[in-house]
Amino acid sequence: MASTATDNTVFPHGSPRDSGHIPGAVMIPNESIGTEQPEKLPDFNQVILIYCRSGNRSKQASQKLADMGYTHIYEFGGIMDWNGEIVTSE
């Protein structure tokens, strides 16, 4: 896995202040994902890597996006599982 977000969309949906985030990530709160396509995710066939702090919200968001029709969703759990660069607010 790459150490930064590139052509793939990576987004945390918890607070980036909690544990940091992957550079270049598109941040979309899990609570804002409903039944309508998020503006930041225009392509239902794009690769979407999903994570949060511990993995709970990423599972929820992955299911919501799959139910919406997104086809290439990869949920990898929590930021604590990421071995690449992390940006923190500190």
Side-chain angles (χ1 to χ4, degrees):
M1 202 175 295
S3 63
T4 61
T6 56
D7 294 337
N8 298 330
T9 301
V10 180
F11 70 99
H13 36 85
S15 170
R17 295 183 309 266
D18 292 347
S19 302
H21 64 277
I22 297 170
V26 175
M27 296 180 214
I28 302 175
N30 180 40
E31 295 76 21
S32 73
I33 301 172
T35 57
E36 294 185 26
Q37 180 181 15
E39 286 183 29
K40 294 182 179 180
L41 302 175
D43 182 357
F44 283 101
N45 295 311
Q46 71 188 103
V47 173
I48 302 174
L49 305 175
I50 302 179
Y51 69 96
C52 61
R53 184 184 57 80
S54 64
N56 184 42
R57 289 174 292 203
S58 60
K59 284 181 180 54
Q60 294 171 14
S62 294
Q63 186 60 57
K64 291 180 198 179
L65 293 174
D67 291 347
M68 241 182 269
Y70 287 91
T71 58
H72 295 94
I73 301 166
Y74 301 93
E75 185 271 322
F76 68 88
I79 189 71
M80 57 187 102
D81 297 324
W82 181 255
N83 292 322
E85 182 182 355
I86 296 174
V87 176
T88 61
S89 58
E90 295 177 28

